[in-house]
Amino acid sequence: MIDTPVIDLSTIPAAQRAVVATLMETIAALQDITQRQQHLIAELNHALHGKRSEKLTEDERQLAFEDLSIALAEVEVQKEHLAAKADSKTATRPGPKRTIGNLPATLPRIEEIIEPASLICPCGCGVMHKIGEDRSERLDIVPAQLRVIVTVRPKYACRTCTNGVTQAPAPCHLIMGGLPTEATLAHVLVSKYADHLPLYRQSQILARAGLDLHRAVLADWVGKAAFHLKPVVDRLGEHLKRSDKLFMDETTAPVLDPGRGRTKTGYLWALARDDRPWGGEDPPGVVYFYAPGRAGENAETFLIGFDGILQIDGYQGYNRLTKPTRKGGDPIQVAHCWAHARRKLKEVFDRDGSQIAAEGLRRIAEIYAVEADIRGISPSQRLSARQTRSAPLVAAFGDWLQAQRRKISAKSRLGEKLTYIHNHWDGLQTFLADGRVEIDNNRVENLIRPIALNRKNALFAGHDEGGIAWGRIASLIETCKINDVEPFAYLKATLTAIANGHPQSRLDDLLPWNFKPSS
């Protein structure tokens, strides 16, 4: 990597300093992107030709190539955007990158003729006549139907003068010069991240329809779409972290480690908002953050900017969030999950029929019965009911818990479960002081299930970079689902809006809960 030359800005005329400083920042960013690109290419080559590559099955190799190709495509388009900003006045649109291969002639063609706004010669000579046209073809996907969109742009010229040619401008596409329409991109994303179909399987399905598209082509499309959708997901995360209360949970995301010829354990952390049980006005949403490990510092990083109540399970990695030394905000108040407490006792009861565990389950069921009665009412009404009905039950459970702990060895299986509940007792009582807090973490656990299903079908992500793209696209798809928005229609409309230059200042319009399907 070439080092950025050190320039003393004080020696440059004041009028030019801002421009030079901006160019230096852009160069440094481009060098970082190039370094990342070289690193990804090296990993791709290692997965293909490395000594351990023979240990990988065909499916494992396909997944590695998929996610590395997605990452490389994202880096490439990021590099193009930065380069364009470096010289916006003289930069020209890069030439179209054609996908290798042809669209089959057997696919139906739908012609969209785009006429100029006016056919009157600018010289005033009269109406122009057609002298030719430009044609471009892109692959479009309608569910259960493949077709080709043929864009026709007639050219018109004046019969009298020689400089009166007019033609409608070409429509904007997310991937300029590429085969896919925005609907096709949406279909591939939904198939991979909602229907749990890896790209190489999608390629096989398309081949049966007579369309030869290698999974590397599909990966290139996904990488570019993931790049363009990143600002929307970042904005979604910002909205969630402005909330007073959120849920958080994490689940394993096995990731292929090509250099070692086997998988490693990554994690997807789900940060969710769902205020529907108490009639909150903020729409529900979820963002999945990928991290290569489960260390609590990852949660601390993801939660920068959030200072509300966090509903979590008993994982000790979250403990750092409650300390004065927490980075990125004030100490967070946590609410622990009664479902996890119940689960601990249920494990013992199912194993040996412990009567003590059975009594604990009965007492927890009484607390849950109150929650069933107050679901859907306002926070103030929930709080009042909890203070009147639930608080005595919780206090009695606490007295019972301590009495049992004095009788039972802490090293026994039941003793360990009771100690778990004791260690999280403060957080288990948080719901008694705030009507917006739930009794358990089940809301976010339900949002983890689609990730687990994708993991089951795809086995694992092909690379850490694939885990990041997985989390990004899943964030939009799952937020669509919990807002009763159809993911394909949303992604098609959103990608189309981005292709047409949707302004950054109006990113909120592209959030799933603001989507309004066309009639």
Side-chain angles (χ1 to χ4, degrees):
M1 178 177 176
I2 301 174
D3 294 332
T4 304
V6 178
I7 299 176
D8 185 0
L9 293 178
S10 63
T11 63
I12 298 175
Q16 300 177 5
R17 287 176 190 170
V19 176
V20 173
T22 300
L23 288 174
M24 291 175 63
E25 292 176 1
T26 302
I27 291 171
L30 285 170
Q31 288 179 335
D32 289 340
I33 292 171
T34 300
Q35 189 176 33
R36 178 183 174 214
Q37 188 177 35
Q38 291 172 344
H39 177 73
L40 290 170
I41 291 172
E43 287 199 36
L44 188 61
N45 287 331
H46 189 77
L48 180 62
H49 304 296
K51 293 182 180 179
R52 297 180 184 270
S53 64
E54 66 273 7
K55 295 184 179 181
L56 305 178
T57 67
E58 181 61 25
D59 278 6
E60 290 170 341
R61 278 193 292 270
Q62 293 282 9
L63 284 166
F65 298 156
E66 247 181 51
D67 286 337
L68 281 166
S69 298
I70 289 172
L72 284 170
E74 184 176 348
V75 169
E76 182 180 348
V77 70
Q78 185 179 8
K79 204 171 181 179
E80 290 173 359
H81 275 243
L82 277 175
K85 288 181 180 179
D87 191 6
S88 58
K89 292 184 178 180
T90 59
T92 56
R93 177 180 293 179
K97 295 184 178 180
R98 300 290 180 183
T99 303
I100 297 175
N102 297 313
L103 294 173
T106 55
L107 292 180
R109 260 67 177 173
I110 297 177
E111 292 192 355
E112 297 179 341
I113 301 177
I114 305 175
E115 295 280 6
S118 173
L119 298 181
I120 302 300
C121 177
C123 299
C125 306
V127 179
M128 299 180 180
H129 70 280
K130 184 176 178 180
I131 60 171
E133 62 185 24
D134 287 341
R135 285 178 171 258
S136 62
E137 293 190 348
R138 296 189 301 150
L139 176 67
D140 189 37
I141 292 181
V142 177
Q145 178 187 8
L146 299 183
R147 63 183 187 180
V148 176
I149 300 296
V150 181
T151 300
V152 181
R153 296 186 297 125
K155 291 181 178 180
Y156 293 88
C158 178
R159 293 184 181 276
T160 305
C161 64
T162 60
N163 58 356
V165 177
T166 188
Q167 183 182 36
C172 296
H173 305 146
L174 196 74
I175 302 179
M176 294 304 298
L179 294 182
T181 63
E182 286 65 47
T184 300
L185 294 173
H187 176 82
V188 173
L189 294 177
V190 170
S191 296
K192 178 173 173 63
Y193 297 107
D195 299 332
H196 322 297
L197 280 173
L199 297 183
Y200 72 92
R201 292 180 186 166
Q202 293 189 50
S203 177
Q204 293 170 352
I205 293 171
L206 292 172
R208 292 198 296 270
L211 183 61
D212 184 16
L213 283 178
H214 193 268
R215 57 99 203 144
V217 175
L218 301 180
D220 183 75
W221 296 354
V222 173
K224 288 179 168 59
F227 169 81
H228 288 290
L229 289 171
K230 182 179 183 300
V232 182
V233 179
D234 290 344
R235 185 60 176 161
L236 174 60
E238 291 173 7
H239 266 273
L240 296 187
K241 287 191 284 188
R242 290 206 301 257
S243 306
D244 295 325
K245 183 186 71 69
L246 294 175
F247 298 91
M248 194 170 204
D249 199 7
E250 76 288 335
T251 186
T252 57
V255 173
L256 185 64
D257 187 354
R260 303 171 64 191
R262 55 191 178 92
T263 60
K264 61 183 179 180
T265 302
Y267 285 84
L268 280 171
W269 302 66
L271 183 64
R273 176 179 67 200
D274 193 346
D275 298 338
R276 290 175 293 180
W278 51 270
E281 295 181 357
D282 290 332
V286 61
V287 172
Y288 300 94
F289 300 93
Y290 174 79
R294 199 188 182 195
E297 61 185 320
N298 292 316
E300 191 173 37
T301 299
F302 300 146
L303 288 167
I304 289 176
F306 173 69
D307 292 318
I309 299 172
L310 189 67
Q311 189 120 28
I312 54 176
D313 58 22
Y315 173 49
Q316 294 182 352
Y318 293 116
N319 292 347
R320 65 192 295 140
L321 301 173
T322 64
K323 298 178 180 178
T325 55
R326 179 209 167 193
K327 298 177 182 178
D330 298 327
I332 286 178
Q333 181 183 4
V334 299
H336 283 122
C337 175
W338 275 92
H340 279 77
R342 181 188 182 280
R343 204 170 296 158
K344 299 295 182 181
L345 296 176
K346 188 70 164 53
E347 290 172 0
V348 176
F349 178 77
D350 289 343
R351 179 178 177 179
D352 54 27
S354 166
Q355 291 304 303
I356 295 176
E359 175 63 14
L361 291 172
R362 184 191 67 79
R363 290 174 177 269
I364 293 176
E366 291 180 339
I367 302 172
Y368 266 91
V370 178
E371 291 300 306
D373 290 342
I374 64 176
R375 185 174 297 116
I377 63 178
S378 69
S380 60
Q381 291 174 311
R382 279 160 52 112
L383 179 59
S384 177
R386 285 171 174 173
Q387 291 176 340
T388 303
R389 299 172 57 188
S390 302
L393 296 174
V394 172
F397 183 94
D399 294 339
W400 171 85
L401 174 67
Q402 299 309 323
Q404 304 310 312
R405 292 186 69 231
R406 287 192 291 269
K407 298 178 184 177
I408 301 171
S409 169
K411 295 182 180 180
S412 68
R413 183 175 177 83
L414 178 58
E416 291 176 353
K417 307 302 183 183
L418 295 177
T419 298
Y420 170 90
I421 299 174
H422 167 75
N423 290 341
H424 298 91
W425 188 243
D426 288 344
L428 288 170
Q429 297 182 81
T430 302
F431 82 107
L432 296 175
D434 193 323
R436 300 168 303 172
V437 176
E438 297 303 307
I439 191 174
D440 56 37
N441 211 31
N442 288 349
R443 292 280 168 176
V444 71
E445 286 198 348
N446 291 336
L447 293 171
I448 287 290
R449 289 175 184 171
I451 300 297
L453 184 59
N454 200 42
R455 181 175 63 212
K456 178 181 178 182
N457 283 271
L459 303 180
F460 41 76
H463 191 269
D464 283 329
E465 299 283 349
I468 295 172
W470 182 359
R472 188 179 300 164
I473 306 303
S475 299
L476 297 176
I477 288 176
E478 297 308 320
T479 299
C480 280
K481 290 181 181 179
I482 57 179
N483 283 280
D484 296 324
V485 171
E486 204 286 302
F488 171 80
Y490 164 77
L491 285 172
K492 175 185 174 182
T494 300
L495 292 171
T496 300
I498 294 172
N500 288 316
H502 188 88
Q504 292 284 320
S505 59
R506 291 173 48 206
L507 276 178
D508 284 3
D509 295 346
L510 300 182
L511 295 177
W513 53 70
N514 289 327
F515 173 67
K516 294 179 176 58
S518 57
S519 58

